[in-house]
Amino acid sequence: MPALPSWLTTPLWDQFTALIPARPVVDPTHPLGCHRRRISDRTVFDKLIQVLRFGCSHEAIADTTCSASTIRNRRDEWIKAGLFAALKRIALDAYDRIVGLILDQIAVDGCITKAPGGGQCAGPSPVDRRKQGMKRSLMVEGHGIPLGRVLAGANRHDSPLLAPTLDKLDDLGPLPADITVHLDSGYDSGKTRTELAGRHLHGQIAHKGEKAPIQASQRWRVERTNAWHNAFNRLQRCYERREVVIDAFFDLADAILTVRSLIRPAWTLYRWDSRPARRP
């Protein structure tokens, strides 16, 4: 069973392979003039998607085509080159050109997941008997497309993570003059309102003590995106210990979600010669 359908992995790979710097298949500097052939980048890319989607270890997904060490080494090589962040940025730019980002409506929310292995982004979880957990403070636009996130231990409160999360807006270029930030009651404080006012942002914040249906707003989109992220088992139960690796997996997941959200509305907005006969 494939981790993702081919109509989604094909455009992802076509863009990702254009970012990979050229390298010889056989090392020309080998002293004996020979060397084992380099494992195909496509094979490693498919293995990383399987690790992200199924949440299995590198050893469990390794086989005769690619070892676990090769998967980890190639992953670290691509992280160092910034390829996963570049893939996410390209996918976001493509979505903005074809469909359009709704940047005047932004939602931010936190989500706690398990982190059994501990690591740089882990802390005692207040909802899981103080077991190791990770919190992500996620920011999305009006359609629910992920714009950025901040990783922290599960014991961190949502409110202090708001400022570094909103800093991710600086990477998006020109912004609308009037931006509304939708927040839940965990951000209902004078400090949050002061932070938003200092950034010239309007806040629609749920009040503590009032039931959610009475004050429901557009926060459901960020909650839906958090659910999309948790469908990737590597993010829902994270065994990675280094923050750069976790960020890389999140960037890959964001690119997948963005391209998927791009293809579906583009089906009804545009026509192209090679469009499949059935809607994905």
Side-chain angles (χ1 to χ4, degrees):
M1 178 180 178
L4 295 174
S6 60
W7 59 264
L8 185 53
T9 55
T10 300
L12 282 170
W13 169 247
D14 289 342
Q15 183 57 65
F16 192 79
T17 188
L19 299 173
I20 301 176
R23 289 192 58 176
V25 178
V26 179
D27 187 1
T29 63
H30 194 274
L32 300 179
C34 60
H35 196 271
R36 291 183 59 183
R37 296 177 64 86
R38 179 178 170 87
I39 301 297
S40 168
D41 289 326
R42 179 62 190 268
T43 301
V44 180
F45 183 76
D46 289 340
K47 294 291 185 184
L48 286 176
I49 288 183
Q50 293 175 30
V51 170
L52 173 66
R53 178 65 181 86
F54 300 134
C56 55
S57 65
H58 297 88
E59 286 76 11
I61 207 66
D63 52 23
T64 56
T65 63
C66 184
S67 67
S69 298
T70 300
I71 298 174
R72 283 190 290 263
N73 292 339
R74 199 74 59 87
R75 177 204 65 192
D76 293 341
E77 177 184 325
W78 290 343
I79 291 174
K80 187 176 180 180
L83 301 190
F84 295 106
L87 180 65
K88 175 198 171 183
R89 184 170 57 253
I90 291 172
L92 202 62
D93 292 341
Y95 186 94
D96 192 19
R97 291 195 310 271
I98 298 174
V99 179
L101 294 172
I102 304 179
L103 295 178
D104 58 345
Q105 301 293 328
I106 289 174
V108 179
D109 196 11
C111 179
I112 296 177
T113 56
K114 295 179 179 292
Q120 298 175 346
C121 300
S125 175
V127 296
D128 194 18
R129 295 172 294 172
R130 295 187 62 80
K131 294 181 180 179
Q132 291 294 297
M134 180 180 68
K135 171 172 283 190
R136 61 175 180 267
S137 178
L138 179 67
M139 178 175 60
V140 303
E141 50 84 62
H143 287 304
I145 302 300
L147 301 177
R149 103 247 5 134
V150 172
L151 304 177
N155 55 332
R156 294 287 303 278
H157 195 270
D158 289 344
S159 183
L161 299 177
L162 178 62
T165 305
L166 292 176
D167 288 340
K168 303 294 182 180
L169 290 173
D170 298 337
D171 302 332
L172 300 178
L175 297 172
D178 190 11
I179 300 178
T180 301
V181 183
H182 301 268
L183 304 167
D184 64 14
S185 58
Y187 300 90
D188 187 13
S189 66
K191 182 178 179 181
T192 297
R193 293 182 174 84
T194 302
E195 178 68 30
L196 294 176
R199 297 172 180 266
H200 305 288
L201 303 175
H202 302 286
Q204 186 172 349
I205 307 174
H207 298 290
K208 296 179 181 178
E210 295 184 13
K211 294 184 178 180
I214 300 176
Q215 52 183 343
S217 64
Q218 299 186 27
R219 297 194 318 275
W220 65 271
R221 291 185 173 86
V222 67
E223 295 167 358
R224 180 186 62 180
T225 305
N226 275 324
W228 286 346
H229 275 143
N230 289 339
F232 297 98
N233 289 341
R234 196 66 173 183
L235 307 180
Q236 189 266 343
R237 189 178 181 90
C238 182
Y239 286 92
E240 300 293 346
R241 297 181 57 85
R242 292 187 294 155
E243 184 174 0
V244 293
V245 177
I246 302 173
D247 266 325
F249 276 119
F250 266 106
D251 287 339
L252 181 57
D254 287 350
I256 292 172
L257 296 178
T258 304
V259 172
R260 186 182 68 183
S261 300
L262 168 63
I263 291 175
R264 288 178 174 174
W267 185 276
T268 57
L269 293 175
Y270 303 96
R271 289 184 175 273
W272 58 93
D273 295 336
S274 59
R275 191 173 76 163
R278 293 187 303 170
R279 182 174 179 176

